[in-house]
Amino acid sequence: GDGLLKYDKQTGGQTLYNSDNSSLISNWLRGVACIGGNVWIGTYNRGVAKFDGQKIVSYNKLGEVDIFSENQGIRGIVADAGGNLWFGGMYGLYRYDGTNWEWNPIPDSFHLAHLQVSSLAFDSDSTLWFGCIGSMHNPLGRITRDGKMEIIQSIGHADIDKIAIDKAGNVWYSTHRNGIARFDGTTLECFTSQNSPLPTDSEFVAYGQNDL
């Protein structure tokens, strides 16, 4: 990994931030999101960092207490309507309210080696949907407005790459090897090259709500 690259569209200039010239604690990055004027960064194995355009602040400890478990990688990053930040990690999700960090584990996930929350998206009811990668039983799940976590369905070995919510409230997710799928709240329907016009079952990207 080389770090975080900033590209100036007006000048074409590029600036690379890494652990040698900034406080970025890891050059291996997995997730990035622009929220509230800041760039939030998920690293491969060292938690989270924030870039405000001038400096990078890394979040891995509160005093002498580790915020993230050892080798915790972060992929999905989103903000809810209240301004809380959510980060997808190994075996669960972190919520950050600007002061406090809260860990939300996926039930019974620690026996699933390498399970990681890879993608996050909010629907119009402020329900947070998440998908997972890396295990033999990757779940599609949600956290409701009252904080209750529910596992909707395990989709087996198919890695959920991205999640998007359409205007009708359907949850779409793309996979690395098994095409795309749609969950309407009751039924999960899968689309592959065998039952639809999709040219391949691999490496699809689910687009955002405004695009659907």
Side-chain angles (χ1 to χ4, degrees), residues 123-125 165-172 182-185 209 212:
D123 66 18
S124 59
D125 292 328
I165 316 296
D166 67 23
K167 294 177 181 178
N170 298 303
V171 180
W172 293 81
R182 178 182 64 196
F183 180 66
D184 64 6
Q209 186 173 22
L212 297 174

Side-chain angles (χ1 to χ4, degrees), residues 49-129:
K50 180 181 72 173
F51 178 53
D52 64 5
Q54 300 296 324
K55 63 180 180 179
I56 294 175
V57 177
S58 294
Y59 295 82
N60 63 330
K61 285 181 176 291
L62 289 177
E64 297 299 318
V65 179
D66 290 329
I67 296 173
F68 304 96
S69 60
E70 185 178 0
N71 297 324
Q72 179 65 280
I74 300 295
R75 285 181 179 264
I77 306 172
V78 293
D80 62 26
N84 301 299
L85 297 172
W86 293 81
F87 303 91
M90 298 288 289
Y91 310 118
L93 300 87
Y94 292 91
R95 186 178 73 92
Y96 177 55
D97 65 6
T99 303
N100 301 305
W101 291 85
E102 178 185 81
W103 170 237
N104 296 265
I106 297 173
D108 302 320
S109 65
F110 285 94
H111 68 282
L112 299 175
H114 309 299
L115 179 72
Q116 185 171 16
V117 175
S118 58
S119 50
L120 305 169
F122 280 98
D123 66 18
S124 59
D125 292 328
S126 297
T127 294
L128 176 58
W129 292 84

Side-chain angles (χ1 to χ4, degrees), residues 121 140 160 162-167 169-174 180-183 189 191 206-207 212:
L140 172 68
I160 298 178
K162 299 294 183 182
I163 287 181
I165 316 296
D166 67 23
K167 294 177 181 178
N170 298 303
V171 180
W172 293 81
Y173 66 79
S174 61
I180 62 176
R182 178 182 64 196
F183 180 66
E189 185 174 10
F191 302 92
Y207 289 92
L212 297 174

Side-chain angles (χ1 to χ4, degrees), residues 6-15:
K6 177 183 177 181
Y7 174 73
D8 189 319
K9 292 193 298 183
Q10 294 183 343
T11 66
Q14 300 182 26
T15 305

Side-chain angles (χ1 to χ4, degrees), residues 128-131 139-143 149-153 160 163:
L128 176 58
W129 292 84
F130 62 87
L140 172 68
R142 63 188 177 192
I143 298 178
M149 181 182 290
E150 301 173 339
I151 301 302
I152 304 303
Q153 185 166 346
I160 298 178
I163 287 181

Side-chain angles (χ1 to χ4, degrees), residues 4-51:
L4 178 69
L5 181 67
K6 177 183 177 181
Y7 174 73
D8 189 319
K9 292 193 298 183
Q10 294 183 343
T11 66
Q14 300 182 26
T15 305
L16 180 66
Y17 298 89
N18 55 40
S19 57
D20 292 328
N21 63 13
S22 73
S23 57
L24 191 65
I25 55 178
S26 174
N27 294 332
W28 291 88
L29 310 183
R30 282 289 180 87
V32 62
C34 297
I35 300 172
N38 298 308
V39 179
W40 287 89
I41 306 156
T43 71
Y44 176 75
N45 61 356
R46 297 292 301 278
V48 170
K50 180 181 72 173
F51 178 53

